[in-house]
Amino acid sequence: AQTVTQSQPEMSVQEAETVTLSCTYDTSESNYYLFWYKQPPSRQMILVIRQEAYKQQNATENRFSVNFQKAAKSFSLKISDSQLGDTAMYFCAFMKHVSPDKLIFGTGTRLQVFP
Amino acid sequence: EADIYQTPRYLVIGTGKKITLECSQTMGHDKMYWYQQDPGMELHLIHYSYGVNSTEKGDLSSESTVSRIRTEHFPLTLESARPSHTSQYLCASSEVYPSTDTQYFGPGTRLTVL
């Protein structure tokens, strides 16, 4: 069975600074997807970034980038130039490449961005 | 605008009541999912559907039931609500082609059973 671990329940960062959220996972699959989702307070869960395991290149989306280490089963999220709107719960998630394509979520990291 | 909708957003009911949580999406997605998010924020899959008349149970055992009579609609029903059902319920959908991996989430229904 797959598991996803986020070891940082809470983190804080000053506006404009950079912060890295950690995620490790366990799987015997060779092909899968990894995601970071963001859930702002009382708002909708939205996709931040996705990574396909067979791609060695780390995914980037504007200020968000990942450090994907397949051998170490690590998938950290780096947020550059943090903004107040980045304050949210961040979930790391795993999905197998084959059916059933359900998301396995970590327990989340609550990120607070301070002015 | 294509989106995924959930109603009601908040619901407070008494024990023993029958409730239905609505989920609709206008994105034409074949796959739909229900996740339960506990107060500690952990999310667990409770039901999923790959198309009309297809429903499967997820990882977390749930006393709820679902139906999929129309592609865009995936309601979740609790026949007799109990305090242990207090949670947030998130609906999600994903397409089959060209890419099936990204799930889009609704705003959630926060259910409180007294």
Side-chain angles (χ1 to χ4, degrees), chain A residues 17-113:
Chain A
E17 297 294 309
T18 295
V19 64
T20 299
L21 308 184
S22 301
C23 173
T24 59
Y25 58 95
D26 189 25
T27 184
S28 58
E29 302 285 329
S30 58
N31 202 7
Y32 48 86
Y33 301 98
L34 294 164
F35 306 85
W36 279 98
Y37 277 90
K38 167 185 175 181
Q39 188 177 35
S42 302
R43 289 176 62 190
Q44 207 149 337
M45 178 106 69
I46 58 173
L47 178 69
V48 174
I49 199 165
R50 63 186 278 277
Q51 174 83 40
E52 297 170 63
Y54 69 87
K55 289 186 177 179
Q56 293 192 346
Q57 187 172 4
N58 289 326
T60 62
E61 283 290 341
N62 301 314
R63 298 182 294 108
F64 299 88
S65 61
V66 297
N67 184 3
F68 173 48
Q69 303 287 330
K70 191 172 184 179
K73 295 180 182 174
S74 169
F75 184 61
S76 61
L77 174 70
K78 185 171 84 171
I79 306 175
S80 305
D81 186 25
S82 296
Q83 300 175 0
L84 296 178
D86 295 333
T87 292
M89 197 77 174
Y90 287 82
F91 291 95
C92 179
F94 169 98
M95 179 192 288
K96 288 194 298 185
H97 196 254
V98 293
S99 179
D101 50 353
K102 59 188 178 184
L103 284 166
I104 309 293
F105 286 92
T107 51
T109 296
R110 190 177 303 276
L111 176 67
Q112 180 75 49
V113 180

Side-chain angles (χ1 to χ4, degrees), chain B residues 4-9 21-24 34 89-92 105-109:
Chain B
I4 181 164
Y5 305 92
Q6 289 187 245
T7 57
R9 292 291 310 279
L21 309 185
E22 302 288 349
C23 175
S24 295
W34 276 104
Y89 293 84
L90 299 180
C91 182
F105 284 81
T109 294

Side-chain angles (χ1 to χ4, degrees), chain B residues 1 9 15 26 28 38 40-41 45 58 60 70 80 85 88 91 93 101 103-104 112 114:
Chain B
E1 182 181 329
R9 292 291 310 279
T15 297
T26 56
D38 63 28
M41 301 299 278
L45 180 70
L60 184 67
R70 302 197 319 264
S80 180
H85 297 140
Q88 170 146 267
C91 182
S93 71
D101 57 279
Q103 294 184 16
Y104 298 89
T112 302
L114 303 175

Side-chain angles (χ1 to χ4, degrees), chain B residues 40-106:
Chain B
M41 301 299 278
E42 285 198 52
L43 291 119
H44 300 281
L45 180 70
I46 52 174
H47 298 283
Y48 61 99
S49 166
Y50 285 173
V52 171
N53 294 326
S54 152
T55 61
E56 301 286 346
K57 289 189 179 293
D59 294 330
L60 184 67
S61 175
S62 174
E63 293 163 350
S64 58
T65 59
V66 292
S67 63
R68 190 89 183 275
I69 299 172
R70 302 197 319 264
T71 299
E72 64 272 20
H73 194 214
F74 191 40
L76 180 146
T77 298
L78 277 166
E79 290 292 332
S80 180
R82 294 207 295 268
S84 61
H85 297 140
T86 294
S87 193
Q88 170 146 267
Y89 293 84
L90 299 180
C91 182
S93 71
S94 68
E95 60 188 350
V96 177
Y97 300 107
S99 170
T100 188
D101 57 279
T102 299
Q103 294 184 16
Y104 298 89
F105 284 81

